[in-house]
Amino acid sequence: MKMRSSPMRGPSSPGVLPQAEKELREAFLTEAARIPGGELLNRCIQCGTCSGSCPVTYAMDYSPRQVIAMFRAGAIEPLLRSRTIWICASCYSCTTRCPADIKITDLLYALKRIAIEKKIFPRRFPVYVLSETFTDMVRRHGRNHETGLLLRFFLKTRPFKLLSMAKDGLALWWHGRMPFKPRKIRGLEGLRRIIAKAETFDRPQEPVEHDNLTDTVGYSAIMEPWGRRAADHENGRRPPRRRLATVL
Amino acid sequence: MPYTYYPGCSLHATGVSYDKSMRAVFGKLGLGLEELDDWNCCGATSYMSVKETVAFAITARNLALAEKNGGGDLVAPCSACYALLNKTRKFLGEAPALRADVAEALAEDDLECRLSVPVRHPLEVLMNDVGTERLAAAQTRSIADFRPACYYGCQILRPQRAMDDDPEVPMAMEDLFAALGAEPVDYPPRTRCCGGMLMATAEEVAVKLCEELIGWAQERDANCIVTVCPLCQGNLDILGRRAELVGGGRPIPVLYFTQLLGLALGCTRRELGIQHGLIPLTVEARPLPVEPAAVGMEA
C-alpha cells in the first residue's frame, strides 16, 4: 500500500511532521499571532466547554475541542478539509465561555483563511462563494446589496435553489424588503484605495494544486447521498461520514 | 450631542422596518440621531474569513468617519455591525501591528482612526441613557396584550457584551417591556444562535436552530418574538411561515424591540414599519389607561 503523509495516519517518524503539515502549521501560527490573545491557544485544558456550548456541534465532523487537540497533534490538514470550519455560525458561544480565554471563533476564521488561501475546498463551495461575492459587492458599491448578493450567490452555487426560494424572495419584495437598486457610497474611490492597501498586508494567496480534492470536501460532503461516498471509501479516498439527515 | 447613527446594509433592505422604528422611537423621545455620512459596509462575518486586514480596515473607515465628523456615540442597531465595529476597536487597541497596518491603509484616504468614539447598541442606549422610568413616563399606548418572547441572539452579547446584565441570561428587554405593562414570557433560548448566514450556505442547520427558537416561543404561549438583529428577524420571519416548522400552531410574528417600544410610545404602525413583517401582527396596542381584565370578568 502506498504510504501517505496524512497526519491522520501518524507522522512518518515520531515527533516529525511532514513538510506539507509543517507549512500549514507555520501559516496557522502566523495567523494566530495576529489575533490579540492568540497565544492563549497553548492554555487549552481540553475541558470541552466550547463543544458543549456550540449550537452546531452536531453538524460538525470535529468539535471545537477536537480542533485544538488536532492542531496539537499536528493534524491541520484534516481540519482544513473538515466541514467544522465552514459550519461555524460565528455565535461566539465557545469564545465567551472558554475558561482559558481562547478565541476559538477567531482561530476558526484563521483556519478558514488558510483553507481559502490553499484552495482546499470545491470551487463552487457555498461558504466561500458567499464570502467572495460579499467582498466583491463591497468593492463595487461600498455597501452590501442584499438582493444582489443572494441572487448572485444562488446563481453561482445552486441555481435551481432559486426556484424554491422564489416564494420567500417574492414575499420579501412584496413587503418592501428587497430593493433592486444598489446604493453606492460617494467615497468609493477612497474605500477602494483603503482595500487595495490593506490587501498588501494580508498573506499572499497563491494557488496550490491538491490532486485528491473532490467535490465531497467540506460541507457539501454531508449533502451527498451515502452511496457515492461509500464508493469513495472503497476506492480508499476518504472514510464515510454520517449524512446530515442521520445526524439530525 | 446627537447620536451618530450607523444603520448598516441590512437596514436598507430586509431590515427596513428596524430603520424606520429606530428613527420613530428616537424622534418620539427627542433624542438626536444623525446618520453617519457616507458609511460603508462593516464587512459582517463574511469578510473576516477571506481577508483579515481588509475586514478591519473597512470597518475602521466608519470609525474614522465618525471621529472626523466629531459626532456623538456611534449607535449600531444591527447586531453584526455592532459586534464588528466593537471587535475592530478592541483588536486595533490590543494589537499594535494590526493597528499600524490599518492606519497605513486608512491614510490612503486621508483618514485616521483614534478609536475615540464608543460604539453602542440602541437597546443599551435606551436602557442606560433614557432608562425604563422615563420610557414608561413617555408611554401613551398600552401594550398589555403583548406576550413577547425576548430574543437577544448572539452578537450583542458575544464576543463583547452590550448590556451590563449577565451575558448568559440578559434581562434588559424583559425589564423594559414589563415596565411598559407587557407580559414577557420566560424564554430560555434567548441567547442561542439563529444560524445567521448559514440560512444561505447550510440551510438545514439554520432551519433546525430556528425551529427550536420558534418551538420554545410557542410552548410558552408567546404572541410575538422580539429581536434586536435584522438577521434573526429575517430568519425567524421567513422560516416561521413554513407549516412544517410551526407544527400546526399559529405563526408567531417577529418584531424588532424598537417596534414594540414604538407602539407603546404611540408611534403609528406605518411609522414603525409593521407592514414590512411577513407574518402579520394581529395584536394591537390599545389606548391607556387599560381596564384590568379582572374587572371585566366580574361585570
Side-chain angles (χ1 to χ4, degrees):
Chain A
M1 192 184 147
K2 195 184 154 202
M3 271 301 282
R4 301 215 302 179
S5 62
S6 166
M8 289 292 275
R9 290 156 194 253
S12 42
S13 56
V16 178
L17 289 178
Q19 187 58 33
E21 186 60 34
K22 250 188 223 157
E23 282 166 17
L24 291 176
R25 194 174 183 82
E26 196 61 37
F28 178 64
L29 289 173
T30 312
E31 288 279 348
R34 273 177 87 85
I35 303 169
E39 74 286 351
L40 296 176
L41 175 61
N42 295 331
R43 293 210 312 208
C44 175
I45 53 170
Q46 291 286 299
C47 68
T49 302
C50 46
S51 302
S53 304
C54 176
V56 289
T57 307
Y58 75 94
M60 292 177 166
D61 35 11
Y62 305 116
S63 72
R65 179 191 64 77
Q66 284 174 308
V67 168
I68 297 183
M70 288 178 62
F71 155 71
R72 287 180 169 172
I76 289 183
E77 192 176 341
L79 287 179
L80 300 182
R81 296 180 183 283
S82 74
R83 61 173 183 265
T84 292
I85 56 175
W86 306 106
I87 276 284
C88 169
S90 308
C91 84
Y92 292 96
S93 290
C94 51
T95 306
T96 41
R97 288 187 184 163
C98 176
D101 296 328
I102 299 166
K103 293 189 169 140
I104 302 156
T105 314
D106 291 308
L107 293 173
L108 290 180
Y109 280 143
L111 287 170
K112 266 190 232 186
R113 285 195 294 271
I114 297 169
I116 287 174
E117 186 189 318
K118 304 279 178 197
K119 305 252 188 275
I120 304 188
F121 52 83
R123 211 157 35 88
R124 276 136 70 94
F125 182 68
V127 182
Y128 173 64
V129 175
L130 183 74
S131 296
E132 200 196 36
T133 315
F134 193 103
T135 50
D136 184 51
M137 199 67 86
V138 174
R139 207 173 296 123
R140 277 208 225 175
H141 307 301
R143 289 183 190 169
N144 163 29
H145 178 230
E146 284 182 335
T147 318
L149 174 73
L150 291 173
L151 267 175
R152 282 175 62 193
F153 167 69
F154 282 110
L155 276 175
K156 277 189 197 168
T157 54
R158 285 160 290 162
F160 293 106
K161 179 83 184 157
L162 273 177
L163 293 175
S164 59
M165 302 259 309
K167 208 176 124 195
D168 293 333
L170 278 176
L172 285 172
W173 173 77
W174 182 252
H175 287 83
R177 291 165 64 172
M178 279 268 166
F180 284 122
K181 212 166 165 258
R183 299 192 200 183
K184 273 190 186 161
I185 65 169
R186 290 193 319 276
L188 196 53
E189 286 309 313
L191 178 70
R192 284 180 184 157
R193 281 201 302 274
I194 294 176
I195 293 177
K197 186 74 187 173
E199 265 173 352
T200 62
F201 298 117
D202 281 315
R203 294 172 48 76
Q205 300 202 22
E206 51 211 27
V208 176
E209 283 300 317
H210 285 270
D211 52 353
N212 59 341
L213 252 187
T214 71
D215 274 356
T216 53
V217 174
Y219 182 71
S220 62
I222 56 178
M223 305 296 197
E224 295 273 334
W226 176 264
R228 171 149 169 218
R229 269 175 305 108
D232 281 351
H233 181 51
E234 278 162 24
N235 297 337
R237 282 212 218 136
R238 61 181 55 250
R241 288 191 194 130
R242 279 186 299 169
R243 288 169 65 192
L244 185 60
T246 61
V247 182
L248 293 172
Chain B
M1 191 188 284
Y3 296 99
T4 309
Y5 178 43
Y6 180 85
C9 309
S10 281
L11 270 70
H12 280 188
T14 49
V16 61
S17 49
Y18 203 178
D19 184 48
K20 288 185 178 175
S21 55
M22 267 292 288
R23 292 175 194 274
V25 164
F26 274 67
K28 205 75 167 177
L29 293 168
L31 301 170
L33 195 63
E34 276 176 16
E35 185 166 336
L36 178 64
D37 186 43
D38 212 35
W39 54 269
N40 62 276
C41 172
C42 73
T45 50
S46 294
Y47 228 117
M48 197 64 78
S49 46
V50 188
K51 299 219 171 89
E52 192 193 25
T53 315
V54 184
F56 283 125
I58 62 170
T59 314
R61 178 181 179 269
N62 294 310
L63 296 173
L65 285 179
E67 287 164 17
K68 197 174 166 189
N69 295 351
D73 298 356
L74 197 58
V75 177
C78 168
S79 295
C81 301
Y82 172 82
L84 246 295
L85 289 165
N86 259 321
K87 183 175 173 179
T88 304
R89 289 193 79 224
K90 192 174 159 66
F91 273 42
L92 294 187
E94 290 176 5
L98 186 65
R99 187 166 178 176
D101 291 351
V102 168
E104 211 179 318
L106 286 180
E108 289 287 309
D109 199 18
D110 293 329
L111 289 169
E112 192 192 358
C113 184
R114 293 190 304 273
L115 307 180
S116 58
V117 174
V119 179
R120 302 176 65 188
H121 192 269
L123 178 59
E124 180 262 325
V125 168
L126 290 170
M127 292 300 278
N128 286 336
D129 292 8
V130 184
T132 46
E133 278 172 27
R134 264 179 67 196
L135 288 171
Q139 186 174 13
T140 56
R141 307 271 290 173
S142 161
I143 52 168
D145 291 340
F146 285 82
R147 289 175 51 79
C150 300
Y151 175 53
Y152 298 80
C154 307
Q155 304 212 324
I156 69 162
L157 302 157
R158 302 182 292 266
Q160 284 94 35
R161 59 184 173 158
M163 256 84 58
D164 310 323
D165 47 353
D166 190 340
E168 297 282 347
V169 194
M171 293 299 281
M173 277 199 276
E174 276 90 346
D175 291 347
L176 170 63
F177 293 123
L180 296 173
E183 264 186 81
V185 303
D186 177 31
Y187 192 56
R190 51 163 73 80
T191 65
R192 283 196 59 143
C193 178
C194 74
M197 280 315 281
L198 288 182
M199 183 69 183
T201 52
E203 200 186 342
E204 291 83 347
V205 180
V207 167
K208 186 176 155 62
L209 293 171
C210 286
E211 191 175 9
E212 289 171 2
L213 292 173
I214 295 168
W216 271 106
Q218 283 179 323
E219 206 168 279
R220 303 296 163 120
D221 199 24
N223 58 16
C224 60
I225 298 175
V226 180
T227 71
V228 296
C229 171
L231 212 50
C232 300
Q233 200 277 346
N235 283 353
L236 290 172
D237 205 10
I238 290 168
L239 293 175
R241 294 151 72 232
R242 294 195 187 165
E244 69 270 21
L245 252 83
V246 188
R250 268 181 42 193
I252 302 177
V254 191
L255 300 178
Y256 292 107
F257 83 100
T258 40
Q259 290 183 302
L260 184 51
L261 177 60
L263 286 174
L265 296 178
C267 304
T268 65
R269 287 167 76 99
R270 192 145 285 277
E271 279 172 345
L272 296 169
I274 304 266
Q275 72 277 13
H276 294 296
L278 302 187
I279 302 170
L281 178 70
T282 47
V283 199
E284 297 270 358
R286 287 181 294 158
L288 278 173
V290 198
E291 282 180 42
V295 176
M297 299 276 277
E298 281 165 13

